[in-house]
Amino acid sequence: MHLAYPTVVAALLFSVGVYGVLARRNAILVLMSVELMLNAVNLNLVTFDMRFRDRLHGGQVLTLFTIVIAAAEVGLGLAIVLLVYRNRRMVDVDRLRELAESDEEPESEPGTEPGAEPVEEAAP
């Protein structure tokens, strides 16, 4: 197979991933776009490894490392997205620029956990 075909597909995948990172506002779609870019890199690594016929298969070994890093990135990224959604009730990346808490009044009374039942004090 000619070397140009997989590299063109990888370039298209990488371009779609860059567009997704720059244009999307949803954090989950941004994570998916990062995965597309990593898959484009993996495709190039395997393509050039097969082209140069390395005895140690360095491109394929680096691809395995990239897959492991991508799996860890997805796990941490989704955990962060879930925590942000739990605290802010949104995952819009443009509105999450500021990491500090807002100055709005809390929904519950101070000293109580959100979602906990209020404790009634016993009458004397």
Side-chain angles (χ1 to χ4, degrees):
M1 180 167 50
H2 201 271
L3 186 64
Y5 299 130
T7 53
V8 167
V9 170
L12 290 174
L13 273 175
F14 196 83
S15 300
V16 169
V18 167
Y19 173 75
V21 167
L22 296 177
R24 298 293 177 191
R25 293 185 178 164
N26 191 343
I28 295 175
L29 292 177
V30 170
L31 287 174
M32 289 173 56
S33 299
V34 170
E35 290 297 319
L36 273 177
M37 291 191 296
L38 287 173
N39 284 333
V41 170
N42 288 340
L43 182 60
N44 272 333
L45 284 172
V46 171
T47 300
F48 285 107
D49 182 56
M50 295 304 291
R51 172 72 174 158
F52 296 126
R53 292 179 176 79
D54 184 19
R55 285 188 184 197
L56 297 176
H57 298 290
Q60 293 180 19
V61 171
L62 285 175
T63 299
L64 288 175
F65 283 127
T66 307
I67 290 171
V68 168
I69 299 238
E73 176 255 337
V74 165
L76 288 174
L78 286 177
I80 291 170
V81 167
L82 287 174
L83 286 174
V84 166
Y85 181 76
R86 187 181 298 167
N87 290 334
R88 303 272 178 102
R89 297 285 184 235
M90 67 174 172
V91 288
D92 188 7
V93 176
D94 289 336
R95 291 175 51 191
L96 293 175
R97 297 282 185 203
E98 184 178 317
L99 293 178
E101 291 292 324
S102 62
D103 293 334
E104 298 175 11
E105 290 292 323
E107 294 179 13
S108 62
E109 295 179 17
T112 61
E113 295 181 31
E117 294 292 324
V119 178
E120 296 180 17
E121 295 182 18

